[in-house]
């Protein structure tokens, strides 16, 4: 059955929705751009997306999140949406760079005043903007103290030396300027500060409270100071900033945690949440993502972390109440009314003071959840694990473009816009890529967070951070990775595992003196891969192995070592006893952080071994086997794998994948500040690290070599069998594999007249299995002017003599057979195995001394074989039969059968003129002599078996170098022995 889907539209109608930093087709650098695709006529069909920025494919999701720190005047974004039915739609959007307000000056009146009392009137004029309307934001330090669109707004200042002014247009493109002021600190707090509320001086009231809070030391004083805040309907963004700053001041001043402090902070967080809700009624809550509120966003995050720590330290309510709270939290039904219901239920459980901490837990946890919801309205703003894991992968893209009018002379350092990657390279890279060193040059860094669909298990899950590097002069036309043969690119990734590291936190960490921590692996994951062991005696050794992939780096991190250890780390083969004894690599005693590095530079995966023992100045063989003092020696380490990969653009689209070639990690002991990679390719990179457990290797091979009675008995049994075999061969030594037949009175049937000659005919069968025959063989000889003569060799099928590798001599006296002649061979197809292999026939005229050789070398079945030959030679002649290739194959076959112990039993060496009458016993003796000589050479080459070489368990029987050396030595000795045997046979044969 086939289903047919009817499509109404021929093309998909696609639009691009602006979510952030793209209003009126303008974008502001150093701020996130967020676009979303909308399909009008897609209906319910499944569609896919492709986003291109300046011709480069970046993401395939519905949303495009792009962070641009520096860019040209415009960027071209193309969206392609296509369905499984082959219908597609496209939309192109060009965003222009918004430079923000320009020109203008700012001033303030008065220039001097008192803290929290004197009203100041800042005024900014003559600012020009591409987007019309402007708004001015005033800051005292990092705290927003007010905003205005003209010169009629008053602000009250804390102790500061300048007012920071942020001039922003409607697209939130801003420019920063400062106004100098002089603030005289208050010597005492005004008495009737609460009367300011009746007069409507809200900002002045909050500033005086801030000044007073900076001198508090008791939580009770803070409760008294803020007693009227709950009755004030705060609804401005500047009041939200002052409240957050006031909460942080109270939290830092009241260092010791008690119930009053928790109550005070919970009340302050509740006031902040109420302010958030009133702002939400009047405008969108997304204002927190704009540039004027960066410091406010960080302050709210810090408040959240403080209330979160307080909630953890507060005792939780009974299980019945806690289960209800958690069930409502998990199902999304947690609200103010439900929390009030739980508070009433908790207070009914007991009437003593113990319920106050439970009520405090409910209130503080609810306010923490409210603040989380206000901060978490957008997925990219902030995420934190409160009770459930709420983290998701965001497909963020950060674009960084830097252009130079002339080629830079020094090393270029470029930091990606999201501050995750840094790229370093010299001028040689630009020369090799662009093939020139003159003119304008541009660098483009594209940092992405993608779902790479790694095959690794969860405990080895690598990073999802990808970096693309482009170098061009006028236009980026990158299509395939560019190999760098004379230069290198160095890349550093500050975050190697946790892609949800927030941008604001990265900015605050990098701008401070403390570097961001690169590794975010949980202690449970490292613990699962931790290898622990003990050493009991001075001779004891521990060995572990793992598989190291190609071009990856292994870092062995020791976390525990009670004694000083001697360590060997290597690939391919297990460390020998001598390597362990002579190793200069040691792990100090009582260490908690020691690292050993090993990099696999090969193009294939290989095993890596680590062996360790207690540190001693003597070799292991000389060390006593006594117990370790203050033992046993305990150690613990973990295998950390670091890798750098490149994307294979040169392959077809279906075969593109990540390669271990082109980039390799540098030999850094620590990756606390990030992983560094060195790349020989210009393209797209990713790097990652993970932990794997080690596999312990048996160490019995390091013990001293001892005699094994079982092996000795096996060898003695084999030697006895060989001796019995030799005796059997000696018993049947005179039975030669040949037979001679004489036909008397053969000449009586001659038709020719002339001299009577003796003719010796040799019929040679092959040396192959079942080469003999059970049939009777007929030979017919005919010449040009000679009569035809027939010779029939009769055989009893039950008792045959034409066997494998047999020579049958036929002696006749005749006048009709002369050289040259022709031979026709056939058989009567009798017996069970009539088919046979004929090697050759030789016809020798004894009177003339001539021999004619007929080469057959084929299996004879039912047909007739007629042979003629021009191979005629006289006594003393040396002739080569057949071509060199066939002769070599025959000799190889003969010698192989001989050396595999088959020829000494059933074969002969009659192929050579040097051994016409060599018996089986002589052949076997020569074979045994050569075999024993070769065995002696091999035994001398490998030496005596010791504990040093006993543990070398090769994957192959011999190393190729050993095979070459042994072949050369054995061949030379065999030539000498063969020459000696030839001389002895020539003299006494």
């Amino acid at each position: 059955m086939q289903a047919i889907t009817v499509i109404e539209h021929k093309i998909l109608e696609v639009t691009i929705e602006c979510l952030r930093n793209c209003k009126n087709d303008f974008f502001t650098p150093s701020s996130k751009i967020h676009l979303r695709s909308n399909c009008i006529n897609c209906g319910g069909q499944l569609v896919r997306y492709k986003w291109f920025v300046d011709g480069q494919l970046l993401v395939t999701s519905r949303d495009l999140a792009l962070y641009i720190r520096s860019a040209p005047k415009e960027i071209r974004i193309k969206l392609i949406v296509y369905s499984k039915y082959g219908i597609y739609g496209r939309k192109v959007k060009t965003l222009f760079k918004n430079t923000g307000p320009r020109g203008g000056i700012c001033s303030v009146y008065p220039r001097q005043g008192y803290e929290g009392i004197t009203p100041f009137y800042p005024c900014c004029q003559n600012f020009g903007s591409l987007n019309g309307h402007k708004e001015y934001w005033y800051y005292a330090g990092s705290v927003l103290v007010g905003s205005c669109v003209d010169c009629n707004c008053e602000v009250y200042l804390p102790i500061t030396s300048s007012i920071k002014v942020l001039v922003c247009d409607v697209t939130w493109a801003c420019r920063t300027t400062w106004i100098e002021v002089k603030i005289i600190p208050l010597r005492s707090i005004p008495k009737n500060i609460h009367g300011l509320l009746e007069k409507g001086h809200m900002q002045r009231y909050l500033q005086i409270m801030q000044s007073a809070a900076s001198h508090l030391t008791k939580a009770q004083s803070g409760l008294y100071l803020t007693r009227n805040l709950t009755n004030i309907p705060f609804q401005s963004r500047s009041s939200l900033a002052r409240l957050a700053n006031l909460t942080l001041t109270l939290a830092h001043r009241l260092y010791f945690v008690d119930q009053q402090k928790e109550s005070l902070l919970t009340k302050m967080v509740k006031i902040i949440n109420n302010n958030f809700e009133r702002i939400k009624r009047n405008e969108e809550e997304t204002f927190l993502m704009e540039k004027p509120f960066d410091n406010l966003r960080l302050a709210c995050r810090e408040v959240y972390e403080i209330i979160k720590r307080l909630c953890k330290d507060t005792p939780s309510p009974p299980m019945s109440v806690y289960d209800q709270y958690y069930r409502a939290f998990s199902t999304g039904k947690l609200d103010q009314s439900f929390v009030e219901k739980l508070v009433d239920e908790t207070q009914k459980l007991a009437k003593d003071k113990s319920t106050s901490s439970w009520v405090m837990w409910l209130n503080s946890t609810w306010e923490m959840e409210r603040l989380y919801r206000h901060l978490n309205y957008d997925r990219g703003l902030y995420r934190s694990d409160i009770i459930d894991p709420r983290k998701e992968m965001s497909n963020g893209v950060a674009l960084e473009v830097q252009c130079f009018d002339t080629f830079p002379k020094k090393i270029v350092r470029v930091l990606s816009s999201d501050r995750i990657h840094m790229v370093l390279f010299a001028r040689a890279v630009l020369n090799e890529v662009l093939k020139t060193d003159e003119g304008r040059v541009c660098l483009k860094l594209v940092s992405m967070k993608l779902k790479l669909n790694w095959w690794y298990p969860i405990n080895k899950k690598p990073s999802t951070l990808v970096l693309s590097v482009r170098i061009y002069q006028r236009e980026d036309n990158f299509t395939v990775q560019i190999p760098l043969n004379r230069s290198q690119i160095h890349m550093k990734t500050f975050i190697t595992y946790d892609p949800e590291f927030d941008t604001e936190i990265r900015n605050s960490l990098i701008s401070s003196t403390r570097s961001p921590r690169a590794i975010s692996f949980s202690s449970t994951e490292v613990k699962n891969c931790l290898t622990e062991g003990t050493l009991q005696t001075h001779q004891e050794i521990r060995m572990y192995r793992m598989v190291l992939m190609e071009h990856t780096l292994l870092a062995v991190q020791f976390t525990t070592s009670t004694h000083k250890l001697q360590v060997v780390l290597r690939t391919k083969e297990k460390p020998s006893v001598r390597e362990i004894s002579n190793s200069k690599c040691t792990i100090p005693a009582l260490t908690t952080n020691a690292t050993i590095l090993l990099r696999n530079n090969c193009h294939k995966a290989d095993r890596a071994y680590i062996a360790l023992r207690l540190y001693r100045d003597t070799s292991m063989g000389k060390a006593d086997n006594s117990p370790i003092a203050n033992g046993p020696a305990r150690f613990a380490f973990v295998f950390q794998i670091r890798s750098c990969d490149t994307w294979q653009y040169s392959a077809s689209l279906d075969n593109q994948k990540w390669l271990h070639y082109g980039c390799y990690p540098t030999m850094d002991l620590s990756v606390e500040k990030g992983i560094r990679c060195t790349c020989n390719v210009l393209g797209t990179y990713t790097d990652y690290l993970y932990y794997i457990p080690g596999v312990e290797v048996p160490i019995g091979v390091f013990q001293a070599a001892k005699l094994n009675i079982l092996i000795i008995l096996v060898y003695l049994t084999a030697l006895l069998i060989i001796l019995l075999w030799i005796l059997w061969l000696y018993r049947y030594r005179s039975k030669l594999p040949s037979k001679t037949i004489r036909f008397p009175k053969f000449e009586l049937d001659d038709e020719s007249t002339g001299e009577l000659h003796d003719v010796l005919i040799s019929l040679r069968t092959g040396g192959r299995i079942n080469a003999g025959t059970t049939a009777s063989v007929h030979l017919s000889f005919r010449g040009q002017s000679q009569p035809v003569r027939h010779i029939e060799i009769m055989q009893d099928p039950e008792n045959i003599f034409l066997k494998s590798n047999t020579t049958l001599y036929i002696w006749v006296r005749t006048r009709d057979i002369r050289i040259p002649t022709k031979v026709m061979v056939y058989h009567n197809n009798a017996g069970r195995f009539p088919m046979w292999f004929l090697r050759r026939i030789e016809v020798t005229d004894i009177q003339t001394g001539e021999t004619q050789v007929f080469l057959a070398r084929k299996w004879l079945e039912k047909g007739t074989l007629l042979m003629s030959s021009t191979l005629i030679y006289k006594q003393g002649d040396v002739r080569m039969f057949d071509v060199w290739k066939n002769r070599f194959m025959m000799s190889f076959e003969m010698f192989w059968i001989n050396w595999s112990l088959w020829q000494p039993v059933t074969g002969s060496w009659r192929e050579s003129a040097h051994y016409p009458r060599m018996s089986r016993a002589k052949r076997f003796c020569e074979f045994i002599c050569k075999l024993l000589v070769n065995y002696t050479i091999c035994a001398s080459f490998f030496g005596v078996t010791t504990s040093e070489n006993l543990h070398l368990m090769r994957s192959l029987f011999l190393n190729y170098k050993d095979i070459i050396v042994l072949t050369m030595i054995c061949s030379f000795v065999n030539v000498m022995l063969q020459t000696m045997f030839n001389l002895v046979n020539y003299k006494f044969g």
Side-chain angles (χ1 to χ4, degrees), residues 490-748:
H490 303 277
M491 179 188 67
K492 184 176 182 179
T493 303
F494 297 102
I495 304 171
T496 58
Y497 185 78
D498 187 5
E500 295 300 323
F501 218 75
D502 193 64
T503 305
E504 295 84 0
I505 290 297
R506 283 197 301 272
N507 295 338
S508 62
L509 288 176
I510 294 176
S511 60
S512 64
T513 57
R514 193 176 55 179
S515 300
R517 182 174 179 86
I519 304 173
S520 300
F521 286 95
S522 63
S523 58
T524 304
E525 182 177 354
V526 178
K527 185 178 180 180
N528 293 337
C529 300
L530 195 66
T531 301
E532 298 177 329
T534 58
L535 297 172
Q536 301 288 344
T537 64
H538 290 84
Q539 287 189 352
E540 190 173 3
I541 291 178
R542 295 290 183 184
M543 182 181 296
Y544 303 87
R545 65 171 174 85
M546 50 81 63
V547 176
L548 189 60
M549 302 302 295
E550 62 271 20
H551 296 278
T552 56
L553 179 68
L554 168 64
V556 184
Q557 298 178 344
F558 281 84
T559 59
T560 303
S561 177
T562 59
H563 295 66
K564 187 176 181 180
L565 302 177
Q566 200 167 9
V567 182
V568 173
L569 182 63
R570 62 167 303 172
T571 58
K572 295 183 180 180
E573 296 180 354
K574 303 175 185 177
S576 63
V577 178
R578 184 177 303 174
E579 286 180 296
I580 301 174
S581 301
N582 299 336
S583 175
K584 303 299 182 182
C585 181
T586 59
I587 301 298
L590 304 178
T591 184
T592 58
N593 185 15
T595 305
I596 307 176
L597 301 178
L598 176 66
R599 187 166 62 199
N600 183 11
N601 291 326
C602 300
H603 294 304
K604 63 177 182 179
D606 211 337
R607 282 187 175 181
Y609 295 90
I610 181 172
L612 45 88
R613 69 157 188 163
L614 187 71
Y615 177 79
R616 294 296 297 269
D617 294 333
T618 60
S619 62
M620 192 174 63
K622 297 180 181 180
D624 56 350
N625 200 24
S626 59
I628 298 175
N630 300 322
R634 302 182 183 277
F635 59 88
F637 64 89
V638 65
F639 286 132
Q640 183 192 81
I641 306 298
R642 308 173 192 169
S643 181
C644 302
D645 294 351
T646 59
W647 185 255
Q648 186 184 12
Y649 285 101
S650 57
S652 60
L653 291 178
D654 296 335
N655 296 326
Q656 290 184 4
K657 59 182 179 180
W658 290 100
L659 299 176
H660 292 296
Y661 316 123
C663 278
Y664 53 89
T666 57
M667 302 286 283
D668 296 322
L669 290 177
S670 175
V671 290
E672 290 291 323
K673 298 182 180 181
I675 288 184
R676 294 192 301 169
C677 301
T678 300
C679 302
N680 298 322
V681 175
L682 177 66
T684 301
Y685 321 107
T686 185
D687 48 33
Y688 52 92
L689 58 85
Y690 56 89
Y691 294 91
I692 61 173
V695 179
E696 188 170 3
V697 179
I699 49 88
V701 293
F702 290 98
Q703 300 176 357
K706 298 180 181 179
L707 292 178
N708 193 317
I709 302 301
L710 180 60
I711 296 179
I712 294 177
L713 293 176
V714 171
Y715 273 96
L716 288 177
T717 303
L719 181 60
L720 180 62
I721 294 174
I722 292 175
L723 291 176
L724 294 176
W725 189 12
I726 293 175
L727 291 176
W728 180 77
L729 292 174
Y730 178 78
R731 171 68 179 80
Y732 296 97
R733 67 187 183 281
S734 59
K735 291 188 177 182
L736 302 177
S738 62
K739 183 178 182 64
T740 303
I741 301 176
R742 184 175 181 275
F743 286 82
K745 299 180 181 181
F746 186 78
E747 66 276 8
L748 298 180

Side-chain angles (χ1 to χ4, degrees), residues 408-449:
K409 297 181 180 180
K410 298 181 179 179
I411 295 178
V412 180
R413 291 178 175 87
V414 183
L415 184 65
S416 62
S417 299
D418 54 6
R419 299 182 181 270
I420 295 178
H421 305 281
M422 177 181 286
V423 177
L424 300 90
F425 53 85
R427 181 173 180 172
V429 175
L430 304 177
N431 297 340
E432 186 172 358
V433 173
L434 302 177
K435 310 299 183 183
T436 182
D437 56 356
E438 298 179 354
R440 185 172 181 267
V441 60
C442 291
L443 312 175
K444 180 188 289 186
L445 268 64
V446 182
S447 178
M448 294 171 281
K449 301 175 184 178

Side-chain angles (χ1 to χ4, degrees), residues 10 21 42 60 121 209 288 345 432 437 669 693 708 759 813 965:
K10 296 182 180 180
N21 193 18
C42 290
T60 57
Y121 297 91
M209 289 193 61
L288 275 180
E345 183 178 342
E432 186 172 358
D437 56 356
L669 290 177
N708 193 317
V759 178
R813 293 173 61 86
V965 173

Side-chain angles (χ1 to χ4, degrees), residues 935-950 954 962 966:
Y935 284 165
T936 304
I937 293 174
C938 294
S940 302
F941 180 82
F942 289 107
V944 181
T945 300
T946 62
S947 58
E948 178 68 21
N949 57 24
L950 184 64
R954 298 183 178 90
D962 297 342
L966 287 174

Side-chain angles (χ1 to χ4, degrees), residues 251-381:
H252 295 158
R253 292 292 301 172
L254 308 177
Y255 179 78
F256 296 101
V257 178
D258 55 12
Q259 191 170 0
Q260 287 185 339
K261 177 182 178 180
E262 186 174 357
S263 177
L264 173 62
L265 294 179
T266 303
K267 182 176 72 173
M268 293 301 302
V269 175
K270 181 177 181 180
I271 297 173
I272 292 175
N273 287 327
N274 293 337
N275 197 347
F276 262 118
E277 290 182 355
R278 293 186 182 98
I279 294 176
K280 187 177 180 181
R281 295 172 190 159
N282 300 328
E283 57 182 299
E284 293 184 359
E285 208 172 17
T286 56
F287 74 93
L288 275 180
M289 293 302 296
E290 305 304 338
K291 188 173 182 180
F293 311 102
D294 288 344
N295 294 324
L296 173 59
R297 182 169 59 249
L298 291 176
C300 291
R301 285 199 56 180
E302 191 172 351
V303 170
Y304 173 81
E305 294 296 337
I306 291 174
I307 193 67
K308 179 181 177 181
R309 288 195 298 268
L310 289 178
C311 292
K312 289 183 178 179
D313 297 334
T314 304
S316 58
M319 187 59 63
S320 59
V321 178
Y322 181 85
D323 289 342
Q324 294 182 58
Y325 184 93
Y326 182 76
R327 192 179 305 109
F329 174 83
S330 303
T331 58
K333 298 179 180 179
L334 186 63
D335 54 13
Q336 182 68 42
S337 60
F338 185 80
V339 173
E340 293 176 355
K341 176 184 175 182
L342 291 181
V343 170
D344 294 340
E345 183 178 342
T346 303
Q347 292 176 345
K348 293 178 182 179
L349 293 177
K351 296 183 179 180
D352 54 4
K353 295 183 180 180
S354 61
T355 59
S356 60
S357 60
W358 300 342
V359 174
M360 185 63 64
W361 185 91
L362 289 171
N363 292 329
S364 59
T365 307
W366 165 238
E367 297 302 331
M368 178 187 67
E369 173 63 18
R370 289 179 65 195
L371 183 59
Y372 175 87
R373 293 177 182 179
H374 291 306
L375 294 177
N376 199 49
Y377 66 89
D378 182 63
R379 289 187 175 183
L381 173 63

Side-chain angles (χ1 to χ4, degrees), residues 744-803:
K745 299 180 181 181
F746 186 78
E747 66 276 8
L748 298 180
D749 297 330
D750 290 342
E751 298 180 3
S752 303
T753 58
E755 185 178 356
L756 193 63
H757 285 193
D758 292 311
V759 178
L760 184 63
I761 304 167
S762 63
L763 185 68
R764 301 172 184 262
T765 63
R768 302 176 182 176
I769 299 176
N770 294 331
T773 179
T774 57
S776 298
V777 179
H778 298 266
L779 303 177
S780 298
F781 295 88
R782 62 184 67 187
Q784 295 181 356
S785 58
Q786 302 171 4
V788 179
R789 295 302 306 269
H790 301 278
I791 299 177
E792 184 177 4
I793 304 170
M794 303 296 297
Q795 280 199 120
D796 182 5
E798 301 297 333
N799 187 15
I800 62 174
F801 52 84
L802 280 177
K803 302 179 180 179

